[in-house]
Amino acid sequence: MFPGAAIDRCTCPSSAPARRVRRVGRLIGVCLLTAVTQGAFAQTTDTLKKIRETGVIVIGYRVGSIPFSYLDATLKPIGYSMDLCMRVVDSLRQTLTLPELKVKLVAVTAATRIPLVANGTVDLECGVTTHTLERRKLESFTVTTFVARSRLLSKKSAGIRTLDDLRGRTVVSTVGTTSIQRLTAINAERALGMRIIIGKDDAESLRMVQTDRAAAFAMDDVLLYSLLADVSDHQAFTISSETLSVEPYAIALGKDDPAFKTLVDAVIIGLFRSAEIDILYRRWFESPIPPNGMNLQLPMSPALRRVINAPTDSGDPRHYE
């Protein structure tokens, strides 16, 4: 349950000029946090206790998951997911009365992100992690922050339009991803006889297609678009219209810590209720972004708009169809 009614007990601005939208969004997040903090401290949690005692919050980031979490020209982690997490940090500083709260940044990979959250090394994993019912056995997730779909990237010359075109061929995906799991399941269900190989990261998986070691690369569409945008001969490639799965992204955090999750959810829902989420979306998906001015030109999907209008932390992909 989300603290929707609690905002009425806060004095929050309901409108503001465009130049103040960012400030309004933060204030709404603070109001939501204030409304739930009293209940959170009534049952002090491990995460909140650790943050208060150490004065540090640990954020996990990805080094190359454009535009969600990646390094800019100065090697600073930036992106859509990082912006969301920094809003959480800003609100925690005010709500927990920790103005000097420090942020420790820890690089994570597709293979290490879940273990580092599960063992408490990372407080918030701010990357491109799909919320699944299986993963929820090890960690918790915030309300959904993005909805992607897994598709196939291939060379146009390969003639791959559907999954059936991959019968008997080699397909690659990245270690530790839901695309690997779905690809394996589809291969068995349809008896396609595919040879599935694994790249250590998305860049390596793409290179396997570029060098013809794999006929196709299965991955979330938004990540495929960002990878292709940085390829000089991108017109030689295509991304399938057929989807393998629906991928609801969320920020991962420690399991069985409902008070901390409620605090983080309140900030994100506050962004959804203000115009700031649209500003953040346009910044990272419809505008030139650092370091090379790449523009994905990716309008917001109806599925994500539905999530913004009615926040959910469902890990069931059918919820987003």
Side-chain angles (χ1 to χ4, degrees), residues 76-145:
K76 173 186 175 183
I78 59 173
Y80 174 74
S81 297
M82 290 299 298
D83 273 2
L84 294 178
C85 284
M86 289 303 106
R87 298 300 192 275
V88 172
V89 173
D90 288 345
S91 293
L92 286 174
R93 284 185 176 127
Q94 297 181 55
T95 308
L96 305 183
T97 320
L98 291 173
E100 302 302 318
L101 178 63
K102 294 180 173 58
V103 176
K104 179 181 178 181
L105 297 170
V106 174
V108 301
T109 66
T112 65
R113 55 186 169 171
I114 294 174
L116 289 177
V117 172
N119 68 19
T121 300
V122 168
D123 298 320
L124 295 173
E125 192 262 302
C126 309
V128 286
T129 298
T130 299
H131 177 184
T132 69
L133 299 178
E134 185 66 24
R135 285 174 174 171
R136 205 161 66 191
K137 296 176 182 177
L138 300 173
E139 58 189 357
S140 292
F141 292 89
T142 64
V143 293
T144 298
T145 57

Side-chain angles (χ1 to χ4, degrees), residues 141-210:
F141 292 89
T142 64
V143 293
T144 298
T145 57
F146 192 86
V147 182
R149 293 177 184 273
S150 182
R151 302 181 192 270
L152 298 168
L153 179 148
S154 62
K155 288 183 177 179
K156 291 180 179 177
S157 58
I160 296 171
R161 295 177 178 80
T162 69
L163 283 163
D164 286 334
D165 294 326
L166 291 173
R167 190 175 299 277
R169 303 175 81 168
T170 300
V171 186
V172 65
S173 193
T174 305
V175 63
T177 62
T178 53
S179 292
I180 279 285
Q181 298 170 13
R182 185 61 184 143
L183 201 59
T184 301
I186 290 172
N187 196 29
E189 291 166 4
R190 300 195 187 184
L192 294 176
M194 291 186 293
R195 176 175 176 253
I196 300 172
I197 58 177
I198 300 175
K200 67 179 181 180
D201 54 33
D202 292 345
E204 182 176 74
S205 295
L206 174 62
R207 284 194 297 273
M208 290 186 181
V209 175
Q210 291 174 307

